[in-house]
Every structure is written in structure tokens, then in C-alpha cells.
Amino acid sequence: MATVLLTVSGVSGCAKEPDPGVITVLNSATDIEHTQEQEFYDRCAKPLGVKVRQVSVPADQVVSKALRMASSHSLTDILDLDGSELPQFAATGGLVPLRNAGVDVGGMSASAGTMGSFKGTQYGIARSVNSLALMYNVDLLKKAGVEPPTTWDELRTAARKLTRGKTYGMAFSATPDADGVYQFLPFFWSAGGDESRLDDGRGAPALQLWKDLIDSGSASSAVVTWNQQDIAEQFIAGRAAMMINGPWNVPVLNEHKDLNWAVAAIPVPEAGRPPVPPIGGTVMTLPRTGDSGRQKTAARIINCLNEQRNQVDWGQSRNNVPTRVTAAAEYKAKNPKLGAFADEVGTGRSRTDRVGERWPVVSDALASAFQSVLTGRSTPEAALKRAQSQAVAAGE
């Protein structure tokens, strides 16, 4: 990857001369999101006398598409990357530090800053981010006389009381992939777990919590196969009273008018501790194309997209939390039902914050750990020790 991307920083004489009146963007905004994105790009490009053309591909194809475009010296002016992918690109030297390009990165939440940074330098900026929270069925909790749990002990008790008939008290995703790891991190991090030292023992209680919920019958053993969409379907069908999930489910939840749902912060090990969920989403970056004029225009568009009004409008269109602190506060005031997501973004952080480009191997190791514990093949402590060895070996 490094060799291919670094060729972008040279001259692009072998490529077709780009249209000076069109700024290009590579992103994963397919379907309706493509149209939504275009509205905002048009809003910011028109005053500059230019247009924006999106090249949109499915999220899992952005990296390969970027590499192909880089090899032919035709990479776009703006590159939208998943936050977890940014370190791999930044490590090659193929991205421009945003401050150097004139992009305003001030006023952002600390968590958003970690998602766009690599080794202390800001290479990417997110207009909004998503996270996870506890989503619960208000009617089922009221019927059982249960308040939304705030601690792990309360979660165990509430989940047990809410488990009745075909309804489990709690649902979460524990698939051996990005979904499962994303769901495990709030518990792992809130317990003090460190992804750079998986074997220090501090994350083991989080694994034990998940296993306790399954062993007690409060959560289905099928969570090891349920992705985040699956658990949302369980929740909608009334087969789960509570679930860990994200704001991307809001549109489908709202389609079910008879479903009375609400959102609370993810329970923590002890009262008073802040939840530490992961934040996700995409970041806008500036590839080294060698064209300073186009880069300046692209930077101005990015600045416009991140003005408070545009961040709030964009966040509301995606049910995501704006990254500017003042914009997040305005978003919360306008969307009180989703306030827990806004609060948690303030205490969350990026998955790549501590391990950078090593995140993919650490993620795989964590997935192996919770899968082995939940299927009864290992204890939490032993699983995390193996996970550390796996991550070290894979990163060598």
C-alpha cells in the first residue's frame, strides 16, 4: 500500500488533466446518502464557482478503489475514509496534514480529534460521528417495573427481570468481526481495558459480564452470530427488551409506530464512571495530488461543510452527532431523544487512538477472545492473553 499511495505525491502528468471547475470526491455514499451528500457539496461549492463530483462505491471497496486511482495518478481531491482506515493511509505519507492545507480543525470534540489523527497530526476531519448506547423498550421496562440500568450490576438485574417468555432482557452483537468488536469496546474500555495491552487483566470483567448475561439466560447464546442489524430486528419484534446499538437504526425504529423506544447511556462497571464507547464514521482527507490550487479549493469546501449550521443539518439528516462541540450541543437540544449519543461522543474515542495502523490485527484478536469465552472454550483471562499474543504475532 505504501508504495502505491506515495506515488500520488509526485506529478500526475500521465493522468488526464482534471476539469478545473470540478472538485472530485471518493466516498462510500451510495443510494440516498449520495443525494444527501450532493446537496451539501453543492451548498459549499456554488459560492466558490465550482462543482463537486462524487465517485461513490460501497464502503468495503473504498480502499481498493483509492489504490487503483492512486496507481493511475487520478485520485480524487477529497478522499472519504472510514476512521479506522485513516492510519493505514497516513502512515504512507500520502495524505496532507489538514492544518497545513488551511483546514480549520479547532473546536472539535476530543474524540473526533482522535479519529482523524495519526501520531499527533490531524489528517482527517469528520462532520459527524456515530456511537453506541443502550436502546430500550419503554413499555416492557415499565411493565416489569425496571428502570434503565446505569451500572453493570443493575444491567444484570434488569436483564434478568425483563427476560420473559420469548423475550430476552438484553441483546448485543458478538460476531467475530467489526460489528462484534464495536459492541464489545464500550464494556472493555469502560472497565479500563487497553487495546495495546490486552493481557493486563483489566478488560477481563467485560468478557465475564457478557458471559454472565448469556449463562443466566438474560441474553441469547445466538448473539455470537447476530450482527447489529440482527439485534435491531430482535428488538423490533419484541424478542429483546434492551439492546446495544447505534443511531443508524433510528429510521427503521421510527417506522414502527407501536414501538415505544428510548435511549440511555451504556451501563458502566461502577456508578460515577463515564461510559467510553467507540466513535465511528468517515473522515474527509486531502490526498497528496501535487495540485496546490485544487487542494486549496478542496480545503475551503471542507471548511464550509464543517461550519456549525452545516454540521447540525448534516447530523440531523444522518442521526449522527456533529463533531464541533457547539454544534453537538445544538444537535442535542434539537434531538433530546438522542441526547445519550451526544453525551457519549464526549467521552468516547477512536478505535485507532492507541494502536494506529495496528488496529485491524487488534480487532481480530479481540473478536477471537470474546468468541472463545462466549462459546465456553476459554476463560476471560486466558482468552485475552492469547489475544495479546495473536495481535503481536500478526503485527510483526
Side-chain angles (χ1 to χ4, degrees), residues 33-265:
E33 189 177 351
H34 182 95
T35 301
Q36 292 174 326
E37 285 273 20
Q38 195 63 50
E39 292 175 0
F40 282 84
Y41 276 119
D42 290 346
R43 180 187 295 185
C44 290
K46 186 175 181 179
L48 301 178
V50 298
K51 295 182 178 180
V52 170
R53 180 174 64 84
Q54 298 180 76
V55 179
S56 300
V57 298
D60 60 357
Q61 297 177 26
V62 170
V63 171
S64 59
K65 178 70 172 180
L67 292 175
R68 290 195 300 272
M69 297 180 81
S71 66
S72 62
H73 304 285
S74 60
L75 197 52
T76 53
D77 302 296
I78 298 173
L79 172 60
D80 250 17
L81 293 170
D82 185 87
S84 64
E85 296 168 343
L86 179 135
Q88 302 170 51
F89 280 74
T92 71
L95 300 178
V96 179
L98 294 185
R99 291 183 188 275
N100 295 358
V103 175
D104 178 13
V105 296
M108 301 291 175
S109 65
S111 59
T114 66
M115 192 167 77
S117 296
F118 177 69
K119 294 185 176 180
T121 299
Q122 195 91 21
Y123 290 99
I125 187 169
R127 287 179 284 168
S128 66
V129 292
N130 60 58
S131 190
L132 295 168
L134 181 74
M135 307 181 87
Y136 61 93
N137 185 311
V138 175
D139 296 333
L140 290 181
L141 266 68
K142 183 177 181 180
K143 184 178 180 180
V146 171
E147 293 293 323
T150 60
T151 66
W152 286 5
D153 284 343
E154 290 177 1
L155 175 60
R156 289 185 177 96
T157 300
R160 185 175 63 253
K161 290 181 177 180
L162 290 164
T163 300
R164 300 179 177 183
K166 295 182 179 180
T167 300
Y168 288 97
M170 182 66 174
F172 52 88
S173 171
T175 50
D177 54 20
D179 270 11
V181 174
Y182 200 66
Q183 293 245 323
F184 179 60
L185 285 176
F187 299 96
F188 182 73
W189 281 344
S190 296
D194 184 344
E195 62 271 32
S196 66
R197 296 182 56 200
L198 298 175
D199 59 350
D200 67 3
R202 298 177 69 182
L207 279 175
Q208 189 62 55
L209 171 67
W210 271 18
K211 182 168 175 54
D212 289 346
L213 290 169
I214 292 175
D215 287 351
S216 67
S218 299
S220 171
S221 59
V223 296
V224 296
T225 65
W226 288 349
N227 60 29
Q228 294 182 119
Q229 181 179 343
D230 294 330
I231 58 175
E233 291 173 356
Q234 295 291 319
F235 182 76
I236 291 168
R239 292 192 290 271
M242 301 183 293
M243 68 171 176
I244 302 297
N245 227 317
W248 50 86
N249 285 300
V250 170
V252 69
L253 293 180
N254 284 338
E255 289 176 3
H256 297 269
K257 304 303 180 182
D258 59 339
L259 179 61
N260 185 10
W261 60 275
V263 183

Side-chain angles (χ1 to χ4, degrees), residues 299-338:
R300 292 177 67 184
I301 290 174
I302 290 175
N303 280 335
C304 173
L305 291 170
N306 282 286
E307 292 174 356
Q308 178 159 330
R309 178 177 71 93
N310 287 332
Q311 274 208 359
V312 173
D313 289 350
W314 177 249
Q316 291 192 121
S317 73
R318 305 302 301 162
N319 295 303
N320 282 351
V321 181
T323 52
R324 287 198 180 280
V325 174
T326 54
E330 181 180 342
Y331 171 87
K332 180 181 177 180
K334 291 182 174 180
N335 302 274
K337 188 170 186 177
L338 304 180

